[in-house]
Amino acid sequence: MGSPVSPFRRCPVWEQELANKYSCKLVVFLADEYCNYCRDILQNVRNQELEKVEDLITSFWKSRQQDTVMLMSLPDVRQLLGCYDMQLYKGLEDMLLPDFLEDVSIQYLKSVRLFSKRFKLWLLGALEGFPAILQISKLKEVTGFVKRLRRKTYLSNMAKTMKMVLKNSRRIGLLKSDLRAIIREGTLDISKKVLEGDSDHEEEPESHTEMKCLGCLISLLETSTDLAELLNCVSSNLQVLVFQPSKNKEDFIKLAASFQLKWNFLLTAVSKAMTLSHRDSFGAWHLFHLLLLEYVIHILESCIEEEEEEDLGSLQDLLSDDQFLTQPDQALFHPLDSLPTSECASRNVESPQVTLKHTSQSCGPMGMGSVVLQVLGFLVDTATGNKLVQVLLEDKTTESAVKLSLPVGQEALITLSNGQRFVIHISDVPQSSENTYCRKSNANVQGGLLE
């Protein structure tokens, strides 16, 4: 096992915001339970008691009450739990395989890979019967964990074999001479394809950035056979060629994709030249080729993953009352003769542009006990361009109602005066659907009883 279990950090401010928005008692209980659940998994893995992890996962999820499950399914609560999942999976990775260059057995790598796959199966099995939105969220998070461990175990496997090659001075001597000969003789077919769009260097492939990176590796082979130094050379080139010139995430993705495409083509061109000229070092180069390809992917994808984790970690400071849910817990019923005017009117929203026409039973009023949900119209916020659907909730028993304007693609948690709670989700549907019920934009309004 690797480093000790890192302290599990809570998000008290974030938790308090959710407690104020929803049931304080329920949120505090859920946060405590979920963090203890993550800590217990980490501790069992640290103690090499992997057989207990399945029981922990199953017992936690199967013991959730319905009100807790519905709370966990809400967007901002899922974000909080996702922050704790991020720490859980990062802790597992650090314990199981902190560095793919570490000298571990092949059997251990197989066991790590097997554990990650089983972890995913245990979690998906425990989540059977849970709301689809919660299953999808957890599936995405655990799939990322499995993918990262698979990538690191694959790199570790190749690194172990490459270290053996680097210890053989005869093989390395052949590899160096063959690589120098291929570049010197100009047998690499890269002048047009690799440098496409780079007219300034069209006649000088050796001045191309990817060629410079390969040249640095070949020069380093003259003085060092340490795999860590060779890979650090690649990292340094990525820092100069991709990371430093990137002004933002979009720039980074563009530069990273361009480098990776040309890098892959360059290494493949070397393999092709090795094959056509029947070089004796082809086997050693082929292994080095695969390792270099996978290592660049690992560095670039790890950077994107870390940035996403940082974005999630800083989300606590960006939360606003209406970022995820509209009308949270505050939509009280009013008498029918005193319906409130649309909230959109106070936000410079135009009159309804399209009247929703129900063409099937599924699009009509939706009954939930004595409560009926009726779609009224469609609006567009002229300031932001956001689409909103206007709905009416009526309680036939008390003859009271409330009118709401709900953004498309978001959820609203509605609490009635009698304590009954509903989740309403507004989502787009394809215009080709048989259930189309508006001319310019379509919305599918779904209501679900929460308790």
Side-chain angles (χ1 to χ4, degrees):
M1 293 297 176
S3 58
V5 179
S6 302
F8 198 89
R9 294 183 297 106
R10 298 283 291 266
C11 302
V13 176
W14 197 347
E15 290 178 11
Q16 186 59 49
E17 287 188 4
L18 295 177
N20 294 337
K21 182 183 285 189
Y22 310 118
S23 167
C24 179
K25 186 176 181 180
L26 197 59
V27 170
V28 171
F29 174 76
L30 173 60
D32 288 342
E33 288 274 291
Y34 202 84
C35 289
N36 288 336
Y37 156 73
C38 293
R39 290 193 187 100
D40 289 343
I41 290 176
L42 289 170
Q43 192 58 53
N44 276 274
V45 172
R46 173 63 185 167
N47 295 340
Q48 303 185 39
E49 298 174 330
L50 303 185
E51 69 283 353
K52 294 184 178 181
V53 174
E54 181 180 8
D55 293 336
L56 281 171
I57 294 173
T58 303
S59 62
F60 173 82
W61 289 103
K62 293 303 183 183
S63 63
R64 297 304 95 194
Q65 300 297 319
Q66 185 65 21
D67 56 350
T68 306
V69 172
M70 295 305 295
L71 179 66
M72 297 172 79
S73 301
L74 298 175
D76 44 2
V77 178
R78 293 201 310 268
Q79 291 277 7
L80 173 66
L81 301 184
C83 183
Y84 294 146
D85 285 333
M86 177 185 71
Q87 294 187 63
L88 168 63
Y89 293 132
K90 183 67 168 61
L92 290 175
E93 290 175 43
D94 289 344
M95 284 189 290
L96 294 170
L97 194 60
D99 185 357
F100 69 87
L101 289 176
E102 280 190 5
D103 189 15
V104 294
S105 68
I106 297 296
Q107 187 58 41
Y108 179 75
L109 294 177
K110 289 181 179 179
S111 67
V112 167
R113 208 159 178 172
L114 181 61
F115 172 75
S116 68
K117 291 179 180 179
R118 285 179 174 173
F119 192 100
K120 179 178 179 178
L121 293 176
W122 295 336
L123 182 58
L124 294 182
L127 286 170
E128 286 184 5
F130 280 70
I133 191 67
L134 187 58
Q135 293 189 49
I136 292 171
S137 174
K138 296 304 170 187
L139 175 61
K140 179 181 178 181
E141 293 156 1
V142 75
T143 299
F145 164 65
V146 174
K147 177 184 175 182
R148 290 190 297 272
L149 268 184
R150 182 173 65 241
R151 192 171 68 213
K152 292 175 76 172
T153 53
Y154 181 57
L155 276 169
S156 183
N157 250 322
M158 288 192 297
K160 286 176 67 68
T161 309
M162 192 63 204
K163 285 178 181 178
M164 296 173 61
V165 173
L166 291 171
K167 290 178 181 178
N168 189 315
S169 57
R170 186 185 68 83
R171 287 184 179 180
I172 292 302
L174 276 175
L175 178 60
K176 288 186 293 187
S177 60
D178 286 347
L179 287 172
R180 285 196 301 267
I182 285 173
I183 294 176
R184 183 175 60 250
E185 294 167 6
T187 55
L188 288 180
D189 182 22
I190 62 171
S191 59
K192 294 181 179 179
K193 296 179 181 178
V194 170
L195 302 178
E196 187 174 359
D198 192 0
S199 56
D200 294 340
H201 300 137
E202 195 164 324
E203 302 301 327
E204 303 176 17
E206 67 277 1
S207 65
H208 191 258
T209 52
E210 288 72 25
M211 276 297 300
K212 288 181 179 179
C213 184
L214 180 60
C216 288
L217 279 173
I218 296 173
S219 299
L220 188 57
L221 277 173
E222 300 284 350
T223 58
S224 174
T225 56
D226 185 340
L227 182 57
E229 289 188 23
L230 293 171
L231 295 182
N232 282 337
C233 174
V234 178
S235 298
S236 299
N237 278 276
L238 283 174
Q239 186 69 29
V240 173
L241 302 174
V242 178
F243 289 86
Q244 291 179 2
S246 301
K247 299 178 181 178
N248 49 48
K249 186 176 181 179
E250 289 72 22
D251 278 353
F252 173 78
I253 292 176
K254 183 178 179 180
L255 288 172
S258 175
F259 179 90
Q260 190 176 345
L261 178 65
K262 295 178 180 180
W263 179 246
N264 291 0
F265 188 88
L266 173 60
L267 298 185
T268 302
V270 174
S271 295
K272 180 181 177 181
M274 285 270 194
T275 304
L276 294 176
S277 58
H278 304 286
R279 299 289 176 176
D280 293 334
S281 63
F282 175 79
W285 165 254
H286 181 65
L287 178 62
F288 200 28
H289 174 187
L290 294 178
L291 179 59
L292 292 174
L293 286 180
E294 195 66 24
Y295 182 68
V296 167
I297 294 173
H298 173 67
I299 292 294
L300 297 179
E301 289 192 357
S302 295
C303 177
I304 294 175
E305 290 162 358
E306 288 173 5
E307 184 169 342
E308 290 175 350
E309 290 174 357
E310 289 175 1
D311 290 343
L312 182 60
S314 62
L315 186 61
Q316 176 183 352
D317 300 328
L318 303 177
L319 286 176
S320 60
D321 291 340
D322 59 353
Q323 185 173 357
F324 296 107
L325 298 178
T326 58
Q327 307 291 339
D329 275 330
Q330 296 173 1
L332 303 180
F333 276 112
H334 302 272
L336 279 173
D337 56 359
S338 62
L339 276 175
T341 57
S342 171
E343 294 180 4
C344 297
S346 64
R347 299 182 186 178
N348 298 321
V349 179
E350 297 176 347
S351 301
Q353 300 296 308
V354 179
T355 301
L356 304 184
K357 296 182 179 180
H358 305 294
T359 58
S360 69
Q361 289 183 345
S362 62
C363 295
M366 184 181 305
M368 294 171 283
S370 63
V371 180
V372 176
L373 183 149
Q374 175 71 52
V375 178
L376 298 179
F378 169 71
L379 303 98
V380 176
D381 188 329
T382 55
T384 65
N386 294 335
K387 296 180 289 185
L388 303 107
V389 173
Q390 199 172 47
V391 299
L392 178 69
L393 281 175
E394 294 183 83
D395 189 339
K396 299 298 185 182
T397 303
T398 61
E399 295 186 347
S400 56
V402 64
K403 190 192 301 183
L404 303 171
S405 297
L406 307 175
V408 174
Q410 296 190 26
E411 293 178 350
L413 178 62
I414 310 299
T415 300
L416 311 186
S417 56
N418 63 2
Q420 200 175 22
R421 305 170 76 195
F422 301 92
V423 172
I424 301 177
H425 180 75
I426 311 293
S427 61
D428 284 334
V429 296
Q431 291 196 4
S432 59
S433 169
E434 295 180 358
N435 294 331
T436 301
Y437 51 85
C438 67
R439 297 190 196 97
K440 296 182 180 178
S441 180
N442 309 295
N444 179 27
V445 183
Q446 300 174 342
L449 181 62
L450 185 60
E451 64 177 33

